Each structure stands twice: as structure tokens, then as C-alpha cells.
Amino acid sequence: MSRTRHSDQQFALDLDTEPRQPTASAIDTRHLFSRAETMDHLLDQWQQRDWLRPLDVGFARLIRTLSEEQGEPAPPLVLLLAALVSHQVGRGHVCVDLANLLQDADATLALPPDEADPVGTDEDATTAAPPAPGEVLSRTSLNDCLEALAESSAVSDGSLTTPLVLSGTRLYLRRLWQYERQIADGIHARLALTSPLADPDSEATATLAEALEVLFGSRPGVDFQKLACALAARNRFAVITGGPGTGKTTTVVNLLAALQAVASQSAQRNGRKYRIRLAAPTGKAAARLNQSIGDATSRLPLDRLPGQVTLDDIPTRVTTLHRLLGSRPDTRRFRHNRDNPLLVDILVIDEASMVDVDLMASVFEALPSTAQLILLGDKDQLASVDAGAVLGELCQRATAAHYTPDTAGWLASVVGGTLPDELLDPVGQRLDQAVAMLRTSYRFGDGSGIGKLAEAVNTNALDGAMLAACRDGGFDDVIWLNGDTRRPATDETLARIADHAISGSPGAFRNRGEGRRVNSQLLPPPVGYGHYLSLLNNHSLTEASGRDAWDELARQTLRAFSDFQVLCALRKGPWGVEGINDLVARQLLAHKVIPRAEGWYSGRPVLVTGNDYNLGLMNGDIGITLSVPWDQDDEGRPAHTLRVAFPAADGTDDIRWISPSRLQQLETVYAMTVHKSQGSEFNHTCLVLPDRISPVMTRELIYTGITRARNWFSLITGDAGVFRDSVKQQVVRASGLAQGLIEQ
């Protein structure tokens, strides 16, 4: 008998089962909680089937080693919970709520994965499968878990330096618990600071009211942008949330102008203006905010504001958070921290939904204790790739506002108007008074299919009428290219994706996409990747053209490339990024618009997948490969060579040219994941969904994919039912941040 077969047989004996019973329901789990070796073997079996990562099992073994070094046995239940909390962190959760875990372990853990083989890959199909986590946990109780954790030297309430922290029924890795505490403490401390603007009769409040009147004027009803500015000005910590096109950037630019007006007339500050910094999580998000901030700043009526506010007082250069904090290669730590704080009075972070607990905790550590922090973002978008959903937690109550009578009275004196009763709450929490939600979309009008579809997805109101409108041309700006809802059409649909990626299928849109206007502006019809490649392949530049001319070609090509983007829910498989990238490249090669489909070639678009501080490139940056005549052949004549053009990261319109050989972490980007698209916006977005449901396909992912589209949206799926089913799945990340703020 082989070693593997023997271990499986012994494992079955430890579970008091017959080794040839394949069904999990027949397995007796009595000895799992009395023998550490049996639990260790169970975790090994889960890892072999890819239910757990090696990191998760390794962490459980570390807990066992630490326990044994303390001269105590390793409680098997603690080992199990240690592996599961590590697994959950890998899925984006900050902790495990034991009460929820034991109530519905299968839903909480998503284990085993949908694609998992319950028997594994052993040649002998009669070998007993390991019990799934849900079955194992059904044999214990919340009290059993709490008692086992309380008796373990590897667990504390945070007062001791232990690898696990138990807070109520929430079990944390210590590092994540510390991050959450840092964020909660930083928010609480800022909300507790008294502002001169809190007094409705103060001179500062009068200046603020005057400035807001100049910036926004008077409108009927509640002006939520004006309200958001007022609330954010009054608090040292504030959140402004809203969907696409609700005016978050315009609001924050007006807010900064109003704050500088107040500072210029403040005797307390002796007229000294605020030092303001703007940041975003990724280079792409920073570049987009750079442009929109510049546009909004140019429209400010600075000459009519109280005090003396100039354009120099409103920053327009946006940096990434990593650059702002001072990243250090190969370490989690930054140059700016508690001992070396940022020189800033106000910090604005855009696309805050993408910021995980680790990075947000670093922000609070680097901020001076009195500095004002303003978070901007869409609470309904996908949360960060890494652990946490900070913005989502802070905005849990944003829809109903929960403003107290005191807040409502202050707002009435500053911005005028009366708040609707449904936004008032006599016992609203302190955090509620610092959160503002923008509720009117100026990008998507009443007839916009993109706006209607995004709202239907976000509110789980996706019905047959909405789907029929998408399929049958009921909207000017939305098409559903897989019109047959009766059956999957795998080969046909993949071929359709390839054709669509080249042309953008303008003929599938109403009136071929022609004659459509948004805000009185005539839009060009939707395009695909053939648009940017035509520009690149038909330019008239020669060896004699100067560097400025090549820079301008690169700028035009990068802008043209952003006119269309394929987004995928998955990374692998024929419906994922890897499969679609290969599919599109081969189709472009067949149409002879690229010279090859693999390796480096002129026209290849690339996405940077890791921060490269030496090159000044950040995760999410996009570049286009061009053939430029800047080298020389053996006889000294100009020779073409490949260079990748990236937009400068400093807010200018400059182009950086980088040799492909220097780029280490990248991938072709005819398709990117929806996660990678956050912070980006494309004129025409195509969302590709696979032919079967997956745990990663959630309401938040679909909503985020739709709202990356500025003017045109196309949906392609291998099975229409997948679209509806995905909207029914929602992300709920375990965390104690919101509860911690309430308790404080």
C-alpha cells in the first residue's frame, strides 16, 4: 500500500469510519476535537483539495507549535479556527464572526468551492472524502469555541501579544485587529475634536455659508452636494459617497475652496491657508482624478469668494497613496508614520472603496492628529482586493442618513432648506453626522440604460422587463449581444466577443450609435480596439519626426485605447482574462491589425500588475507598445525599436517611454478583471460573464462593471441566467469596524 493510500486509510480510522465509505454524511467526526494529529491531517486533506491555502494550514501549525512551546496541548478546535480565520482573510474578510460561522458555515466559508471534487483526485474513488467544514463545525457550538479559545495561550483580547485576538464573537489575526483599532481610534479622535464651524453663530460658520452660496447658489429642495460640503467642513473626518456622475469631484473641489475661504479669514490661523494633498489608491485612479480636478478647478468663481482664495490654494496634482506615504520596497512600512507624519492639514482620498484596512491604517498612522481626512467613493462598488471593506462599513447607514435634529438645524442655518423626515433620526450616531450621500446622477439622465441597469442591479430589482429592454434595443446606450436566453451558446458567444472587441458593434446599438447627445454634446458612435490600432497603424510619422510628435501620437493612442475595454469576472478559463486576451489577440492578428499575437509587438496594450518604484510605475498603470525610430543600425542609420508609452504619473500630459525588457510585472490588457478596472472609466465598456455562476460573481462586481462605462455599455454572457443569478449574490465582509465606532 502506498504512503498516500495508507494516510487516507488511517485518517478514515481516526474518524471511526469504514475507509471505503465515500459520502461525507457517513463520517463520524468525534475524534477531531480530541486529537491534534487528526485535526492536522484533516487540514492537510483540505489543502490537497485546494479548499485551504498552504498559508492557512501553516498558520494552524504555527499555533500548535506556539502552544506546545508553552507546555500546553494544542486544542484541535483552536487549530481549526486558526486555519479558517486565515482562509477568510484571504477572501477579504478582516475576521471571522463565530456566531455567523456556526449558523451557516457553508455560506460563510464558501467551502468546499463549487468546482471542488468531493472525492479528490485519488485513483481509488472509494477512498473516504474528508468531511467538509460545515459538517465538522456542526459538531460544536459557540460556547465550545469560546471556551477553547479562552483556554489557549495563542489567543487574547488584544492586551497580550498573541497571534489571535478574540473580541466578542469575532476572531482576528492580530495584525488585522490592530489595523481595525487604528482606523476606529483615528476616526473617533477626529470626530471628537471641536471645530469653530460647529457653532452656527461663529464668524467661521458665516464665512462658510457665504462661500457655499457663491459656489452652489440656491436651488429648490435639498442640494446634496452643498449639504455634503457643509458636513465635511464641520468635521475633521468625513465621508462623501455617491454613484457615478453624482458630482463627487465637483463637490470636493468646492469644499476645498470653501475651506480655504474660511482659513483666509480665520484669526486663529492668521489667514494661513490649509496644506492640502490629494491621493488615490492606484495610478489610474490618480490620473483620472487629476483630469477631473483640473476641469472642476477651472470653473471655480474664486473672485467672488470671501477672503482671498487663488488657484494656487486648490491642489490639482493627485498622487497614489503609496507614493504619498513613501513606500519602501519589500516591506509593509512607509517612510511617513507616527514619528514622521505627513506635512498636511487636509487629506482627500478618492476611490476610497479600493483602500484595504492595512493601507487605511497606515494613512491614519501617518496623519497628524489634527489633520482633516475626507474620503470619497462609491459605497456600492467592489471592496478592496485585500482584506476589509472600510468605505462600505462607514457608509452602512448612509442611505437613510440618520441626521440628528442638531445636525439638521445647523445645516438649515448654513445651506438652507429642510431635510426630509426620512433622513432624520433623534438618536443618530456620531459617525452618521459626518457621512454625506450624493443622490442625483448628472452623467446618466432619466433615459440612460446604463443608469437604469446599474440602479436595478444595485437594488436587486433586475426584472424581465429590464432584461428585455437590454436585449431588444430598448436603450440607446446598452446592448445585450447574447440575445438567446434559452440556451448557452459557448462557441457562438466566444466568436461574438472576438468580433465585438474589434469593432465595438455599433450596428447593434439603436441608430448604429449615431446622433446620440449627452448634455447637448454629440457623441461619436461606439468603437472597439480597431479604433486605436487604426490610429497607430496609419500615422504619418517618419524617422525625421521629433520626439514631441511621437509623444503626441502616444497620447492620442492611449486616449483612443480608453474608448473601449473588455472586463471579465474571472481570471482563468475561456471566459476569463487569460482566455479572452488570447482570443482577442488571435482575432486581431487574423484581421492583420497586429503583427503577432504573442510576445512584444507594436500595438500591444499592457497592464502593470505590481508596483515598480524604480520605474515609477504602479499596479494598474496601462501602457501601449509603439515601434519608434530611436535606435541605430550597424551603419548608423535610424532603426525602429519597441518602447512602451505610459502617461506620466505626476498629473502632467507627459509620456514616459520604457523598454519592454525593463518591465517585469505586467500582462496584456485587451481584457482585465472588473477588480482591476476600479478607478478607471471607459467610453465603451463590454462586460463578459461566463456560462456558469461563480462565488466571485456578485451584485457588487456586476454594478462596478456596468458603471465603468461612461457612454456605451455592452453585455456578453454564455448563459443569460448567470447575469440574473450573479445579482442575487452579495458581498458581506466580516469586520468589527462599524461596531467598534458605535461602542466608542
Side-chain angles (χ1 to χ4, degrees):
M1 183 178 291
S2 70
R3 182 176 179 180
T4 301
R5 186 68 49 77
H6 171 75
S7 63
D8 283 342
Q9 292 278 356
Q10 184 60 50
F11 179 52
L13 293 174
D14 283 342
L15 295 174
D16 281 356
T17 67
E18 293 297 325
R20 292 185 177 272
Q21 289 180 307
T23 59
S25 60
I27 294 177
D28 184 348
T29 58
R30 286 176 296 175
H31 293 303
L32 277 174
F33 299 129
S34 60
R35 299 176 184 171
E37 293 78 8
T38 306
M39 180 61 70
D40 195 48
H41 197 155
L42 173 65
L43 297 179
D44 275 338
Q45 293 291 306
W46 287 352
Q47 178 187 328
Q48 290 172 17
R49 287 162 172 80
D50 293 326
W51 298 1
L52 294 181
R53 302 171 299 171
L55 177 65
D56 307 328
V57 178
F59 180 67
R61 287 181 177 148
L62 172 64
I63 298 298
R64 181 178 179 182
T65 300
L66 293 175
S67 298
E68 291 171 348
E69 287 176 353
Q70 295 293 322
E72 65 177 36
L77 182 52
V78 173
L79 301 183
L80 171 65
L81 295 176
L84 294 182
V85 73
S86 175
H87 166 266
Q88 290 298 83
V89 169
R91 295 181 60 235
H93 298 275
V94 177
C95 61
V96 169
D97 189 316
L98 300 176
N100 292 338
L101 174 66
L102 294 173
Q103 185 175 6
D104 191 348
D106 291 337
T108 301
L109 299 170
L111 288 177
D114 287 347
E115 67 275 11
D117 177 0
V119 179
T121 57
D122 198 294
E123 293 177 2
D124 187 353
T126 62
T127 301
E135 182 186 354
V136 173
L137 290 167
S138 70
R139 305 302 178 91
T140 189
S141 68
L142 179 59
N143 284 337
D144 291 338
C145 292
L146 296 177
E147 288 177 4
L149 292 168
E151 294 172 0
S152 173
S153 61
V155 186
S156 72
D157 61 0
S159 58
L160 302 176
T161 307
T162 55
L164 290 168
V165 172
L166 182 65
S167 176
T169 61
R170 294 188 296 273
L171 184 64
Y172 293 83
L173 301 184
R174 181 176 185 82
R175 174 173 58 86
L176 276 300
W177 175 80
Q178 288 177 317
Y179 293 154
E180 195 173 89
R181 284 291 300 271
Q182 276 184 280
I183 296 169
D185 289 347
I187 293 173
H188 178 70
R190 283 167 174 76
L191 292 178
L193 292 173
T194 302
S195 168
L197 294 171
D199 180 4
D201 300 321
S202 69
E203 180 181 351
T205 303
T207 303
L208 175 65
E210 181 183 353
L212 293 179
E213 185 66 22
V214 169
L215 292 164
F216 291 97
S218 297
R219 304 175 188 173
V222 180
D223 186 336
F224 285 101
Q225 290 187 351
K226 193 174 183 181
L227 179 150
C229 278
L231 283 181
R234 188 174 72 152
N235 294 283
R236 298 292 177 87
F237 173 79
V239 179
I240 300 175
T241 185
T246 52
K248 294 186 291 293
T249 303
T250 299
T251 300
V252 80
V253 167
N254 286 349
L255 167 63
L256 298 179
L259 285 171
Q260 293 293 39
V262 173
S264 70
Q265 294 197 322
S266 170
Q268 183 180 5
R269 295 186 59 83
N270 295 319
R272 182 175 65 85
K273 306 292 180 58
Y274 291 111
R275 296 169 296 184
I276 303 172
R277 298 295 301 272
L278 308 174
T282 66
K284 186 70 174 179
R288 203 183 81 173
L289 182 60
N290 263 324
Q291 181 179 357
S292 55
I293 283 280
D295 294 342
T297 302
S298 66
R299 297 191 297 268
L300 286 173
L302 298 178
D303 58 323
R304 294 192 286 121
L305 287 175
Q308 296 181 345
V309 182
T310 69
L311 280 175
D312 291 338
D313 298 326
I314 313 298
T316 57
R317 180 171 296 184
V318 186
T319 185
T320 64
L321 277 173
H322 285 84
R323 288 192 180 102
L324 176 72
L325 297 174
S327 296
R328 293 175 171 177
D330 304 320
T331 177
R332 292 178 178 272
R333 298 188 177 278
F334 296 93
R335 290 199 311 273
H336 289 290
N337 50 39
R338 188 175 292 104
D339 299 323
N340 180 31
L342 293 164
L343 295 176
V344 62
D345 299 308
I346 301 173
L347 174 61
V348 178
I349 300 177
D350 192 27
E351 296 289 352
S353 62
M354 300 170 64
V355 183
D356 58 59
V357 290
D358 185 345
L359 188 54
M360 190 66 78
S362 297
V363 168
F364 277 100
E365 185 179 10
L367 278 178
S369 59
T370 58
Q372 187 171 2
L373 177 62
I374 301 165
L375 304 182
L376 302 179
D378 186 345
K379 66 181 179 63
D380 299 312
Q381 278 189 29
L382 280 168
S384 57
V385 175
D386 293 319
V390 176
L391 186 74
E393 277 216 83
L394 297 176
C395 295
Q396 283 180 357
R397 292 157 56 91
T399 301
H402 298 279
Y403 296 138
T404 63
D406 176 69
T407 297
W410 183 87
L411 286 170
S413 68
V414 175
V415 303
T418 302
L419 289 175
D421 291 342
E422 59 267 24
L423 301 185
L424 303 179
D425 183 354
V427 292
Q429 300 165 11
R430 177 176 286 181
L431 176 62
D432 297 331
Q433 318 314 305
V435 177
M437 180 175 168
L438 306 180
R439 300 165 191 264
T440 303
S441 176
Y442 300 96
R443 179 186 306 169
F444 304 132
D446 293 339
S448 169
I450 297 174
K452 288 182 180 296
L453 184 60
E455 182 180 8
V457 167
N458 197 28
T459 58
N460 195 23
L462 192 65
D463 56 19
M466 176 65 69
L467 294 174
C470 294
R471 184 182 62 243
D472 302 331
F475 299 115
D476 289 340
D477 53 350
V478 173
I479 57 171
W480 181 1
L481 288 178
N482 188 29
D484 188 349
T485 62
R486 295 167 296 178
R487 63 179 179 85
T490 304
D491 293 339
E492 175 188 341
T493 306
L494 289 174
R496 186 171 293 165
I497 294 171
D499 291 336
H500 181 61
I502 295 180
S503 68
S505 305
F509 288 86
R510 185 185 292 177
N511 299 324
R512 298 187 57 84
E514 296 178 350
R516 181 166 169 247
R517 292 181 179 273
V518 173
N519 297 327
S520 301
Q521 180 181 0
L522 182 64
L523 297 178
V527 298
Y529 291 132
H531 172 57
Y532 93 91
L533 287 168
S534 175
L535 177 68
L536 187 60
N537 292 334
N538 297 308
H539 69 81
S540 59
L541 300 186
T542 67
E543 288 83 355
S545 300
R547 178 67 66 93
D548 289 345
W550 286 98
D551 284 353
E552 180 58 27
L553 174 62
R555 274 190 287 270
Q556 293 177 8
T557 304
L558 285 164
R559 283 195 293 267
F561 179 77
S562 69
D563 280 337
F564 178 76
Q565 182 64 58
V566 176
L567 302 182
C568 299
L570 308 177
R571 280 207 56 81
K572 297 184 180 298
W575 302 97
V577 166
E578 294 178 1
I580 298 300
N581 267 324
D582 180 64
L583 177 76
V584 173
R586 286 188 283 107
Q587 188 76 346
L588 292 171
L589 178 62
H591 281 70
K592 299 181 180 180
V593 290
I594 58 174
R596 62 180 60 90
E598 297 178 346
W600 286 102
Y601 53 85
S602 178
R604 181 190 180 190
V606 294
L607 174 75
V608 176
T609 58
N611 297 337
D612 189 325
Y613 302 102
N614 293 325
L615 295 178
L617 295 176
M618 303 301 287
N619 188 1
D621 287 349
I622 289 178
I624 304 289
T625 311
L626 279 77
S627 177
V628 293
W630 296 339
D631 278 3
Q632 293 182 339
D633 61 18
D634 294 339
E635 298 180 7
R637 294 174 299 190
H640 281 258
T641 187
L642 295 177
R643 292 289 185 271
V644 185
F646 289 93
D650 57 3
T652 65
D653 203 27
D654 293 340
I655 294 294
R656 293 174 296 164
W657 297 92
I658 298 177
S659 171
S661 63
R662 301 186 65 193
L663 298 170
Q664 303 300 317
Q665 301 180 73
L666 55 82
E667 59 189 28
T668 302
V669 69
Y670 295 119
M672 70 168 69
T673 62
V674 176
H675 268 288
K676 286 287 188 182
S677 74
Q678 286 184 271
S680 301
E681 196 176 81
F682 310 98
N683 190 44
H684 179 189
T685 297
C686 171
L687 177 62
V688 174
L689 300 181
D691 57 351
R692 65 191 64 186
I693 195 71
S694 164
V696 304
M697 294 165 56
T698 63
R699 182 183 309 172
E700 292 81 1
L701 181 138
I702 302 297
Y703 171 82
T704 302
I706 293 170
T707 55
R708 297 311 88 202
R710 187 185 308 116
N711 291 312
W712 309 97
F713 176 74
S714 48
L715 173 69
I716 302 180
T717 175
D719 186 339
V722 170
F723 184 37
R724 295 189 298 269
D725 293 341
S726 297
V727 174
K728 297 174 184 177
Q729 297 190 145
Q730 192 168 11
V731 175
V732 180
R733 287 192 169 180
S735 169
L737 177 59
Q739 186 63 35
L741 288 168
I742 294 173
E743 293 169 353
Q744 288 187 337

